[in-house]
Amino acid sequence: GKRWFCEYQTDTVEIEITAKSQEVYIYGCNGATVVLKNKCNALQVDKCTKTNVLFDAVISGASLVDCKRCLVQVKQHCKSFVIDKTDGAT
């Protein structure tokens, strides 16, 4: 498929991106750690609390929307990063 969905997780999740055209959507996670391996086209983190997201690279951009106390870390590069309606982003 073209899009990975990671929803309502509370533990460590590892997602292996198999094509650069794929997108990742992370929703409603609480206390989770999401690790994305390889480069993806887009990343969106939505309505998550105390969630850590670690990724290698994003081609177009990443966004953090309506989240609380989240940590996002990029290992290589990300052209743009949008933070909207979020409290406590690191």
Side-chain angles (χ1 to χ4, degrees):
K2 185 172 164 97
R3 180 174 270 197
W4 288 90
F5 290 93
C6 178
E7 300 178 321
Y8 304 107
Q9 299 298 311
T10 57
D11 206 354
T12 301
V13 178
E14 197 169 286
I15 298 173
E16 181 103 23
I17 307 298
T18 55
K20 291 179 183 178
S21 63
Q22 293 178 337
E23 300 174 356
V24 180
Y25 181 70
I26 301 169
Y27 179 84
C29 295
N30 190 350
T33 298
V34 182
V35 180
L36 306 176
K37 298 207 170 201
N38 301 321
K39 188 185 290 189
C40 65
N41 187 46
L43 167 66
Q44 184 175 359
V45 184
D46 192 5
K47 289 187 174 73
C48 293
T49 305
K50 297 181 189 174
T51 298
N52 302 323
V53 180
L54 292 86
F55 62 94
D56 290 341
V58 172
I59 297 168
S60 65
S63 66
L64 192 65
V65 180
D66 201 18
C67 295
K68 294 178 183 165
R69 297 174 60 194
C70 289
L71 178 140
V72 180
Q73 181 179 345
V74 59
K75 295 178 185 174
Q76 295 170 10
H77 65 274
C78 177
K79 288 185 181 179
S80 71
F81 200 96
V82 177
I83 301 173
D84 191 24
K85 295 189 279 183
T86 295
D87 183 26
T90 307

